[in-house]
Amino acid sequence: MTDVLRDCTVVVPTIGRPSLDVLLDALATGTGPHPAELVLVDDRPTGPPLSPERPGLPPVRVVRTGGGGPAAARNLGWRTARTGWIAFLDDDVVPDPDWYDRLAEDLAALPAEVAGTQGQVRVPLPEDRRPTDWERGTAGLATSSWITADLAYRRAALAAVGGFDERFPRAFREDSDLALRVMDTGSTLARGRRWITHPVRPVDRWVSARVQAGNADDVLMRRLHGPTWRERADAAVGRRPRHLAVTAAALGAVGLLVAGRPRGAALAALGWAAGTAEFAWARIAPGPRDRTEVATMLATSALIPPLASWHFLRGAVQHRRVTAWRGLPDLVLFDRDGTLVHDVPYNGDPDQVRPVDGAREALDELRARGVRIGLVSNQSGVGRGLITRAQVDAVNARLAELLGPFDTVQVCPHTPEDGCDCRKPAPGMVKAACAELDVDPARCLVIGDIGADVGAATAAGAASIIVPTPVTRPQEIAAAPHRAPTLTAAVADVLAGSW
């Protein structure tokens, strides 16, 4: 059991809520084998550094997104991890004392075709009164499927589908979407035996109105997964048809009144009042029915139908041309001469290394998103006796000083006449880089300036972007599947998911 957690990273996205300390205390005092690492993803736009250190925790690393939302935060967490398993926890849950032990048992018991395992969730409700509307909603987490409050995935399964779809901006539906895409690959998901507690966090009286923004996310789910997505994701149907009817009645009442038809306006207003009253009572009846709860339910029950309808329509417009999520590549390989640096033929002098404009910033943007980067460079000058391999290595070392470290560096020292399988457009260097970093070539991208770079990518099963320079032949540009005018533009396309 200990071995399986050595190949597991726990990822916790957080916005620095006080509940994070409760979670970290629980993880610090938990019994059993510890995972390889705990990655905290600080998703605050600004703020002081987190202080997670305490005795008993596994090794802790903190990374920051700058406020990209929960999907982007989880993606950064798993992309920076190097273990075979990624266990996600929310920052407002409390794992049981034996959570490590039970997680190890859950992972060890899974056959290869199972891509992930969900923990069990308990939501404590008041014992001295009936729960409020918000408390009942939170309690639904106990029976929800594939929520990332506690869900462990194989890293390979996450990489295969590009991780979480970052077009889901809230902590809503992004986990169900991921589960459906993973299962679409032929994998399955299972329920484990480990337990967490998910307390009901305090909220203001308008929270139920704000969460209606999730109606736009439901539209995105339907666009991506079809009309049966609710059944597949085990998601409740909800009241949207009734909300639309109540909203239509309200708009009809106003329109008829303006048109000088008071009788019709009165009937429409009566329909709106009846629908709103029915909705309010459905929320009031099972609750504590105290003055505060009743007032909140009455106010929000009038607001929710038009808000739900508005967000539904907004989503229908926003996502009308949505395409399948691809995510970021796991690895971007760059040609060196003409792509990252200005080309100096057969350069063996580190002092002549001059990066192209924006190269450092572009590579840093990829690193900040957890994308690994590498170098694949034909250096036939070695085979021709014009430079030495030591000089090539010195130039590459200078490049790393100027642009930051590379996760892999692949060099072909052969001439075209040698007939090797590493010189681009042969796929050898691309395949070697992927093998070294355990990356599926289908999740790899090659950026270069000539057709040989594109050819090497294609032969290896990777994607490619060509960034033309004066030496690029017109037919190479025309044949490239993806073109960008500059290195900066190419990386911008990658970060936008277009690669």
Side-chain angles (χ1 to χ4, degrees):
M1 297 298 178
T2 301
D3 290 342
V4 70
L5 283 199
R6 288 175 181 164
D7 194 31
C8 179
T9 298
V10 175
V11 172
V12 179
T14 182
I15 52 175
R17 294 182 289 193
S19 59
L20 176 64
D21 287 325
V22 180
L23 167 65
L24 294 176
D25 289 341
L27 292 174
T29 57
T31 61
H34 280 26
E37 189 178 26
L38 169 62
V39 176
L40 296 182
V41 188
D42 186 349
D43 196 38
R44 299 172 299 170
T46 58
L50 299 175
S51 300
E53 294 79 11
R54 60 203 70 198
L57 284 177
V60 180
R61 184 158 52 94
V62 178
V63 295
R64 299 195 73 155
T65 63
R74 294 192 187 101
N75 279 342
L76 179 58
W78 74 260
R79 286 189 179 282
T80 60
R82 297 293 176 256
T83 54
W85 281 100
I86 310 295
F88 295 102
L89 288 173
D90 285 349
D91 72 349
D92 57 352
V93 304
V94 184
D96 278 9
D98 64 351
W99 186 80
Y100 290 130
D101 285 310
R102 301 289 81 79
L103 174 63
E105 292 175 1
D106 289 344
L107 298 185
L110 293 180
E113 67 271 14
V114 178
T117 166
Q118 177 179 321
Q120 305 285 338
V121 182
R122 69 172 68 88
V123 180
L125 295 175
E127 297 181 356
D128 58 340
R129 59 168 173 80
R130 288 189 285 186
T132 65
D133 180 68
W134 175 251
E135 290 166 341
R136 292 194 305 275
T138 304
L141 295 173
T143 56
S144 297
S145 295
W146 322 132
I147 57 172
T148 43
D150 179 1
L151 187 55
Y153 275 105
R154 296 185 192 273
R155 191 185 189 282
L158 295 169
V161 299
F164 292 87
D165 189 335
E166 296 175 19
R167 293 171 296 187
F168 290 91
R170 288 163 286 276
F172 185 67
R173 302 300 190 210
E174 85 291 354
D175 42 15
S176 297
D177 166 73
L178 175 64
L180 294 185
R181 286 187 288 116
V182 168
M183 290 188 286
D184 283 343
T185 68
S187 297
T188 58
L189 301 176
R191 293 185 181 271
R193 298 172 57 193
R194 63 195 185 278
W195 282 88
I196 61 168
T197 297
H198 193 302
V200 180
R201 58 185 174 88
V203 293
D204 63 72
R205 68 188 307 177
W206 304 110
V207 64
S208 59
R210 289 196 302 274
V211 299
Q212 298 310 310
N215 283 277
D217 303 321
D218 284 351
V219 176
L220 179 55
M221 287 291 288
R222 184 183 176 89
R223 292 279 195 270
L224 294 171
H225 301 289
T228 62
W229 74 268
R230 289 186 181 275
E231 291 81 1
R232 296 182 60 208
D234 195 23
V237 174
R239 299 177 61 101
R240 184 184 301 125
R242 280 179 278 189
H243 289 335
L244 287 170
V246 169
T247 302
L251 293 174
V254 174
L256 288 168
L257 187 62
V258 171
R261 300 174 60 183
R263 187 184 298 269
L267 289 174
L270 183 62
W272 169 81
T276 301
E278 182 275 330
F279 179 40
W281 178 246
R283 302 170 71 206
I284 292 170
R289 305 188 199 176
D290 58 47
R291 179 177 299 179
T292 300
E293 177 74 357
V294 170
T296 298
M297 294 300 98
L298 289 173
T300 56
S301 294
L303 289 173
I304 286 174
L307 284 174
S309 301
W310 162 250
H311 287 297
F312 171 74
L313 295 174
R314 177 177 61 82
V317 173
Q318 179 181 353
H319 302 306
R320 64 190 183 280
R321 293 191 181 92
V322 72
T323 57
W325 175 254
R326 194 176 187 188
L328 298 178
D330 289 349
L331 173 64
V332 177
L333 298 173
F334 292 90
D335 170 58
R336 193 188 79 180
D337 302 319
T339 301
L340 290 179
V341 300
H342 294 283
D343 189 13
V344 177
Y346 306 119
N347 181 28
D349 182 0
D351 291 337
Q352 295 192 56
V353 174
R354 293 186 301 116
V356 301
D357 292 344
R360 177 65 192 244
E361 294 78 8
L363 268 60
D364 281 346
E365 285 189 78
L366 290 171
R367 295 184 183 107
R369 296 286 294 276
V371 178
R372 288 180 279 186
I373 60 175
L375 199 65
V376 284
S377 181
N378 287 347
Q379 293 296 324
S380 65
V382 176
R384 301 176 194 275
L386 301 175
I387 53 176
T388 66
R389 179 57 191 261
Q391 288 176 305
V392 171
D393 292 341
V395 168
N396 289 341
R398 176 58 177 162
L399 185 66
E401 288 178 10
L402 296 173
L403 301 185
F406 294 90
D407 295 285
T408 180
V409 174
Q410 305 291 329
V411 172
C412 171
H414 305 109
T415 67
E417 294 74 26
D418 290 333
C420 66
D421 63 358
C422 55
R423 178 178 172 82
K424 296 176 291 185
M429 287 192 288
V430 177
K431 288 184 174 181
C434 291
E436 178 184 340
L437 299 177
D438 193 24
V439 170
D440 183 344
R443 302 298 305 178
C444 173
L445 171 71
V446 178
I447 298 179
D449 67 323
I450 60 174
D453 301 308
V454 175
T458 302
S464 63
I465 299 178
I466 195 168
V467 181
T469 65
V471 304
T472 312
R473 294 179 295 178
Q475 57 266 40
E476 293 176 329
I477 300 174
H482 192 141
R483 298 173 291 278
T486 64
L487 177 66
T488 299
V491 170
D493 285 349
V494 175
L495 294 176
S498 177
W499 54 279

